[in-house]
Amino acid sequence: MPSVQPCFLKAGPFVLPLGRPLIMGVVNVTPDSFSDGGDFADSASAISHARRLVEEGADIIDIGGESSRPGAAPLPLEDELRRVLPVLEACVPLGKPVSVDTCKPEVMRMAVEAGAAMLNDIWAFRREGALEAATAAATRHGVALCLMHMQRDPATMQDDPHYEDVVAEVGAFLRQRTQVLIDAGVARDQLVVDPGFGFGKTVAHNLALLRHLARIAEIGMPVLAGLSRKSTIGHVTGRSDPKDRQAGSVAAALLAAQNGATILRVHDVAATRDALAMWMAVTTEQT
Ligand code: HH2
């Protein structure tokens, strides 16, 4: 696979230039997310939160109805649809690409019908029926697909995760999964890879992945980095409440951008946007 970074990402009707890192704002329509569980659990508050994130500068909105925190209980299909669809329908007219964070093929299909421009799957489309649903979404509707690495499953992933070489193993997994999608007919410029910070990884694994993110970018697909408010930031900063991790999260987002990430999945859009603006002003040669 080529290691040059793509210049744009196709996501439904959108063509997103990747000349600067894009900000993906998180909207968790959940009572139990580790980062903001319960804050936006009803449709009305989730919709107004999404509007606010767009005003603050989000380039993409990512709606999730099921928490993936370690040990989270699986959510029945009907409940996930009831949480996600009304928020998605209200967000599509905001004019930004809307991503849906799901591993269920039925949710993928209905999300695409309702106007989702991207599907984000922490299982990298490995659950039964997901590959078919994602391939159809990409080839028939032009939807972008984000494939994330996770060791084991949310229930057990943090039970003593182990790698010989975390960067090499995560990279090999993402190369293999993107090839599966390409072989199924998905265009390269609709694919995004994600090392899955916090998903079956210790603090040391997460820091190694952040330090060597450029090796993941060598796959030749846009890299999405989701470090926002995660426990590694709590560990490094000593902040036990995820909502107190904004400064650490912004620093981690900048480091990810510096090391090759082109989509930053964050809760704190305004702060991330300002930090990125400073970083871009210094690193983009203008005079
Ligand atoms: N992290 C979370 C959820 N979805 N998707 C991708 N592609 N990458 C990530 O790092 C990622 C993700 C977990 O964060 P959050 O949504 O805030 O929490 P929860 O899963 O508890 O709702």
Side-chain angles (χ1 to χ4, degrees):
M1 284 186 191
S3 64
V4 283
Q5 278 294 299
C7 306
F8 57 84
L9 173 70
K10 287 190 183 158
F14 300 89
V15 179
L16 303 172
L18 300 173
R20 66 164 176 88
L22 302 177
I23 299 178
M24 172 185 263
V26 179
V27 177
N28 283 323
V29 198
T30 58
D32 56 346
S33 289
F34 85 94
S35 48
D36 54 8
D39 288 357
F40 314 109
D42 65 280
S43 303
S45 58
I47 293 164
S48 66
H49 184 58
R51 284 206 185 100
R52 187 175 145 205
L53 296 185
V54 169
E55 280 163 21
E56 289 180 353
D59 300 292
I60 304 169
I61 290 294
D62 189 39
I63 301 171
E66 179 177 32
S67 173
S68 57
R69 75 180 198 289
L75 184 72
L77 171 64
E78 291 309 317
D79 291 353
E80 189 172 335
L81 288 172
R82 197 161 29 77
R83 290 180 189 178
V84 169
L85 288 181
V87 181
L88 170 61
E89 281 159 9
C91 285
V92 169
L94 298 178
K96 295 288 177 187
V98 184
S99 160
V100 172
D101 184 347
T102 186
C103 60
K104 293 189 182 76
E106 299 87 349
V107 178
M108 292 176 192
R109 276 191 281 275
M110 295 194 69
V112 171
E113 290 298 323
M118 183 165 178
L119 296 173
N120 169 27
D121 185 0
I122 63 165
W123 282 89
F125 308 104
R126 287 178 292 148
R127 305 292 295 274
E128 197 182 339
L131 181 65
E132 293 72 16
T135 304
T139 55
R140 291 190 207 142
H141 301 271
V143 165
L145 305 176
C146 177
L147 298 91
M148 197 196 80
H149 174 272
M150 168 169 59
Q151 192 177 75
R152 297 207 292 271
D153 57 75
T156 62
M157 65 189 180
Q158 289 309 109
D159 300 346
D160 196 21
H162 177 79
Y163 302 84
E164 294 300 321
D165 177 340
V166 65
V167 181
E169 287 169 50
V170 168
F173 170 87
L174 293 172
R175 276 179 201 273
Q176 187 265 333
R177 283 310 292 170
T178 49
Q179 195 57 52
V180 169
L181 270 298
I182 290 166
D183 291 346
V186 179
R188 301 176 58 84
D189 55 14
Q190 287 168 254
L191 291 171
V192 174
V193 295
D194 179 347
F197 290 101
F199 286 86
K201 282 131 194 143
T202 62
V203 171
H205 294 143
N206 290 317
L207 294 178
L209 282 165
L210 183 53
R211 197 174 295 123
H212 299 292
L213 204 58
R215 280 173 55 198
I216 303 296
E218 282 170 11
I219 295 172
M221 310 273 169
V223 175
L224 187 152
L227 287 136
S228 184
R229 299 188 184 179
K230 287 190 176 167
S231 62
T232 293
I233 291 164
H235 178 90
V236 171
T237 59
R239 305 280 177 194
S240 54
D241 184 343
K243 290 180 187 162
D244 291 337
R245 297 175 185 163
Q246 190 191 92
S249 300
V250 170
L254 274 188
L255 286 161
Q258 194 165 20
N259 290 347
T262 41
I263 304 179
L264 305 166
R265 184 181 183 277
V266 304
H267 303 85
D268 302 296
V269 167
T272 309
R273 188 213 44 202
D274 287 0
L276 276 177
M278 272 312 295
W279 180 72
M280 288 294 289
V282 173
T283 55
T284 311
E285 272 183 56
Q286 304 214 337
T287 51

